[in-house]
Amino acid sequence: SGDERRACLRLQAALCACLQRAPPFSLLLSRRKLLFVRSLSESLCVLSARVLGDAAAIRAIIDVKADAISRIVGGAAEMGAHPQAEVCQAGWVLCTAYEYLEAEPVAGVAAGDVCDLAPAIGGLCHGGPPALRVALLPCLGFLLRLRGQL
C-alpha cells in the first residue's frame, strides 16, 4: 500500500543518512560498531533492491563512499583520526554493498570495480595507520571472498 511504501522510503532515507554521517574515531576500536555499519549497509541494500525495487540509493552510497576513499587516501600522506574513521566506514559500506551485489545482482547497479578497491584496502591493511589496519582487514576478506584472482 501507499503507507507502507512511504514508511519504507523514510527508512531508506534514514539508513542513508546514518551511513553518510561522519563516524567517530571510536569506530576503529569497536568490533560491535563495525558490525553495526555492516548491518546498516546490508539493510539498505536489501530494502532498496528487494522491497522498493530502487537501486538509486545503493548506487548513491557506493559513489559517495568510493569518492571518500579516493579523496582521503589519495590526498594525505598521514591520516588523522577522523579521516581514518571515515575511510574505515567507507570501506565497510563498500565491501558490504559489493558483496551483496555479487550475491544478489540488482538491475541498474554493477558490483563496481572491486579490482580497484581491493588494492587500496590491501595497501591500507599493509601500510596504513595501525588502528586502521586492524579495522579494515575483515573488509579485505569480504572483497577477496569468491575472487581468488585478486
Side-chain angles (χ1 to χ4, degrees), residues 1-130:
S1 79
D3 288 341
E4 289 173 350
R5 180 153 179 84
R6 281 189 292 279
C8 288
L9 288 170
R10 284 193 305 272
L11 177 58
Q12 182 185 45
L15 288 168
C16 286
C18 285
L19 291 171
Q20 291 179 4
R21 186 175 303 143
F25 180 70
S26 64
L27 177 71
L28 296 170
L29 308 173
S30 171
R31 182 169 192 248
R32 185 180 56 78
K33 289 180 183 178
L34 292 172
L35 292 174
F36 184 69
V37 168
R38 183 166 169 79
S39 293
L40 287 174
S41 303
E42 190 171 18
S43 296
L44 175 64
C45 290
V46 170
L47 177 68
S48 298
R50 289 191 184 167
V51 177
L52 295 172
D54 176 21
I58 300 172
R59 178 79 262 157
I61 202 75
I62 286 174
D63 291 344
V64 166
K65 296 304 180 181
D67 288 346
I69 287 180
S70 297
R71 176 179 42 81
I72 294 169
V73 172
E78 289 223 8
M79 277 189 265
H82 294 291
Q84 286 181 52
E86 190 175 349
V87 166
C88 181
Q89 181 192 52
W92 276 76
V93 170
L94 285 171
C95 292
T96 302
Y98 288 151
E99 189 175 36
Y100 178 83
L101 292 170
E102 187 77 22
E104 301 273 339
V106 176
V109 181
D113 196 350
V114 176
C115 294
D116 287 344
L117 183 60
I121 299 285
L124 288 169
C125 287
H126 176 66

